[in-house]
Amino acid sequence: MFNLSDLQEFQALDPIISKETTTLVLVSMPSEVSHQENFYFADPANRFWVLMEILFHMPTATRQEKLELLAVHHIGIWSVIKSCLRYKSREDTMEDIVVNDMQSFLVQYPRINRIVCVSHDTMRLLQEADPQAALMAAYVPSPSTDDLWYDSVDQLIPEYAKAFGVVQ
């Protein structure tokens, strides 16, 4: 367990985005490891980049390869939460949540026509922050190995393929 005094403040990482982005991957708040590395899905145990490699048939071994995959497929990544208090990387402990201004963000990047929400909390927060944007959003299960419902990448592939509009 944890005490409220164990909660740490987390700030959103800068978005990975370009004017050509059409699909936005939205997380609640990046993990502790992601914050340490200043890069989304940086925890080697997280299966996000493995899923992207399988779906888009591009390597993701290095940061540069990951950025190349995102650029080629017009994918951006950002956090729906601007700041919060949280215990380690646990989404279920988040307190004092401040959401990002999704409406202004989407005006700034008008080509975004698909949002992929990584977790139920992300989808809920997007619906609260911008109900209109939530209409173009799809939920996918967390690629974290902490998600006990999906113990293999093979179980996640169909969910991610559908959300990204990838025909298998």
Side-chain angles (χ1 to χ4, degrees):
M1 288 310 289
F2 67 94
N3 296 316
L4 288 178
S5 62
D6 295 330
L7 298 178
Q8 299 170 285
E9 184 172 350
F10 286 86
Q11 299 287 327
L13 297 176
D14 289 338
I16 300 174
I17 195 82
S18 77
K19 291 295 183 188
E20 288 75 40
T21 297
T22 57
T23 298
L24 178 64
V25 175
L26 205 54
V27 301
S28 59
M29 178 61 70
S31 71
E32 271 189 309
V33 174
S34 292
H35 275 93
Q36 291 163 3
E37 297 294 324
N38 196 32
F39 196 73
Y40 290 90
F41 302 104
D43 187 337
N46 190 294
R47 302 171 287 199
F48 179 80
W49 293 112
V50 171
L51 287 160
M52 295 298 97
E53 187 168 321
I54 291 167
L55 290 178
F56 296 106
H57 309 288
M58 290 180 70
T60 59
T62 67
R63 183 181 292 217
Q64 190 55 44
E65 288 174 341
K66 293 168 183 168
L67 291 171
E68 180 70 17
L69 181 148
L70 296 176
V72 166
H73 294 284
H74 310 291
I75 299 169
I77 305 176
W78 199 31
S79 172
V80 70
I81 297 174
K82 181 177 184 175
S83 66
C84 70
L85 297 176
R86 180 178 71 188
Y87 179 70
K88 299 193 180 241
S89 295
R90 289 187 42 187
E91 198 172 66
D92 65 333
T93 65
M94 291 188 296
E95 302 272 339
D96 298 338
I97 295 170
V98 176
V99 295
N100 274 309
D101 183 351
M102 295 305 301
Q103 291 173 338
S104 295
F105 185 81
L106 293 172
V107 166
Q108 189 177 354
Y109 298 98
R111 294 191 64 196
I112 294 173
N113 58 27
R114 176 191 318 258
I115 299 174
V116 178
C117 290
V118 180
S119 84
H120 285 295
D121 280 336
T122 304
M123 179 66 98
R124 178 184 54 78
L125 289 164
L126 176 62
Q127 288 168 336
E128 291 171 9
D130 187 347
Q132 191 66 32
L135 296 175
M136 67 173 128
Y139 155 80
V140 292
S142 171
S144 169
T145 51
D146 291 339
D147 188 332
L148 302 176
W149 293 102
Y150 294 86
D151 57 3
S152 77
V153 169
D154 290 341
Q155 290 176 304
L156 292 168
I157 290 171
E159 304 268 352
Y160 277 71
K162 180 179 176 187
F164 280 92
V166 174
V167 178
Q168 292 187 293

